[in-house]
Amino acid sequence: MAEKEKLVEVKDLQVTFGKGRRKFVAVDDVNFDIYKGETFSLVGESGSGKTTIGRAIVRINPVTKGEILFKGQKINGKISKELDTEVIRKMQMIFQDPQASLNERAKVDYIVSEGLINFHLYKDEEDRKQKVQNALKEVGLLPEFASRFPHEFSGGQRQRIGIARALIMEPEFVVCDEPISALDVSIRAQVLNLLNSLKASKGLTYLFIAHDLSVVRFISDRIAVIHKGRIVELAETEELFLNPLHPYTRALLSAVPIPDPEMEKQKKLLVYDPSVHDYSQDGPVWCEIKEGHFVYGNQKELEEYRRMLK
């Protein structure tokens, strides 16, 4: 198997908010790589630190400790203006709430081309307009929508405008921060299919942030499960669904609805209890328990996980 190219590397990442007694560690000691061309998903409940990691990668949230590398170059902390410009162009983010992330006072034409205008990435006005029209067409919107305001659109259409705004910069890496959680169920599949087809046609790499595991199974190559700012398990999609090891992962998976009503009735819902871990003597480590399958636990737990895999 050929060595995969690492596009983004996150090493010992820590993000904190506040100072002194009010200091809150939102993300602690997080490590993972994202390979070129894959969809890497971060899954966890609300407040677990998923969005904080995504925002730290695109330089919105400052990093307290650790490093973030993009194509082998460190991009957190102070960086040169040239590198900053390249990062802004090559890394884009699709935000969770299509209502809040679009400027209500601006027309779609300006919203989508704001990045182009800021970095002057167009030849002339005609070229800029053409790029906006192409971006709107790519996400399934009519070019004439460019002259309208965001309030004239539905949630699904707004999210498409947000996707067009990210794609017009021709990025290589896109952070999708729960891009479908604010949408109706009927629209979700459309937006997911759109993201998948754009990934294939443009050779994109995604960090997909979600709390819904059934959605993630459909779109991801690999999944990392995060609990209270720490990644507790990471594996390829089917491996994680077939062999969930960490009790938190198992609890999350048990909550995924089954489309068969009879099976759904018999399903046992697991509730995660953090007190099952006794880390007083034997401290936890991040360990590769099987090729490509990582889990967080102490020696006693790791032995048990190894037994489960046999």
Side-chain angles (χ1 to χ4, degrees):
M1 194 173 115
E3 185 63 30
K4 292 179 192 162
E5 184 189 336
K6 290 178 186 173
L7 192 67
V8 176
E9 297 167 68
V10 175
K11 299 181 175 178
D12 305 327
L13 180 69
Q14 187 186 63
V15 181
T16 56
F17 296 106
K19 285 192 172 76
R21 288 170 67 182
R22 301 184 70 173
K23 182 173 150 183
F24 171 69
V25 180
V27 173
D28 197 19
D29 198 23
V30 162
N31 291 277
F32 60 84
D33 300 327
I34 300 175
Y35 300 116
K36 193 170 173 54
E38 79 168 342
T39 299
F40 182 90
S41 289
L42 267 179
V43 177
E45 57 201 326
S46 299
S48 58
K50 314 181 291 290
T51 299
T52 304
I53 293 173
R55 290 170 76 98
I57 291 174
V58 295
R59 293 177 53 78
I60 297 174
N61 286 346
V63 171
T64 319
K65 211 171 78 194
E67 300 190 306
I68 297 167
L69 306 178
F70 179 60
K71 294 184 173 176
Q73 282 184 292
K74 180 172 180 250
I75 57 165
N76 58 307
K78 278 210 164 86
I79 58 173
S80 68
K81 195 156 188 281
E82 297 78 35
L83 182 56
D84 191 36
T85 305
E86 191 199 345
V87 168
I88 291 169
R89 279 201 62 182
K90 298 292 181 198
M91 289 183 149
Q92 286 290 312
M93 189 158 182
I94 298 165
F95 294 93
Q96 178 172 359
D97 184 358
Q99 186 102 18
S101 64
L102 303 180
N103 181 352
E104 288 292 338
R105 292 199 180 91
K107 287 185 175 171
V108 169
D109 179 64
Y110 176 76
I111 290 170
V112 172
S113 62
E114 195 170 1
L116 297 182
I117 294 163
N118 289 347
F119 294 94
H120 207 81
L121 301 173
Y122 56 97
K123 294 198 249 337
D124 49 35
E125 184 59 13
E126 195 50 47
D127 181 42
R128 184 190 69 76
K129 282 191 168 158
Q130 192 56 50
K131 283 187 165 171
V132 170
Q133 295 205 347
N134 291 346
L136 290 175
K137 271 191 211 150
E138 277 177 338
V139 297
L141 294 175
L142 297 170
E144 50 264 35
F145 286 179
S147 58
R148 296 191 191 169
F149 289 94
H151 69 82
E152 298 177 54
F153 297 98
S154 68
Q157 288 172 320
R158 284 169 186 238
Q159 196 55 292
R160 286 166 187 262
I161 294 166
I163 296 169
R165 173 177 60 182
L167 292 180
I168 202 165
M169 301 293 282
E170 295 179 8
E172 290 180 36
F173 177 71
V174 181
V175 176
C176 307
D177 181 13
E178 304 221 16
I180 58 165
S181 65
L183 306 178
D184 286 346
V185 174
S186 56
I187 311 286
R188 288 181 179 190
Q190 291 176 17
V191 173
L192 282 178
N193 286 330
L194 172 67
L195 288 170
N196 260 343
S197 65
L198 289 167
K199 177 187 163 191
S201 62
K202 292 180 170 291
L204 297 170
T205 305
Y206 289 149
L207 168 62
F208 193 88
I209 294 168
H211 59 265
D212 183 347
L213 270 160
S214 48
V215 165
V216 168
R217 186 174 196 170
F218 171 72
I219 201 167
S220 322
D221 296 297
R222 289 187 306 143
I223 300 173
V225 178
I226 182 167
H227 176 64
K228 291 196 171 169
R230 266 187 191 279
I231 291 183
V232 294
E233 192 162 357
L234 191 166
E236 287 188 356
T237 305
E238 287 310 305
E239 167 67 20
L240 191 82
F241 274 82
L242 293 172
N243 299 314
L245 297 176
H246 197 277
Y248 180 66
T249 311
R250 296 210 296 273
L252 274 187
L253 283 171
S254 77
V256 174
I258 302 168
D260 181 326
E262 285 308 311
M263 285 172 74
E264 181 66 27
K265 273 184 208 160
Q266 290 159 15
K267 186 178 77 174
K268 190 163 169 251
L269 198 66
L270 303 173
V271 178
Y272 176 56
D273 176 12
S275 68
V276 297
H277 308 289
D278 176 18
Y279 295 151
S280 52
Q281 258 81 44
D282 185 6
V285 290
W286 180 240
C287 170
E288 186 168 15
I289 201 131
K290 177 181 170 183
E291 194 186 346
H293 194 154
F294 296 83
V295 67
Y296 183 72
N298 61 17
Q299 291 311 316
K300 186 177 164 212
E301 289 172 335
L302 294 175
E303 279 166 26
E304 191 190 321
Y305 297 152
R306 283 191 185 98
R307 277 201 298 276
M308 285 163 68
L309 284 172
K310 278 176 184 166

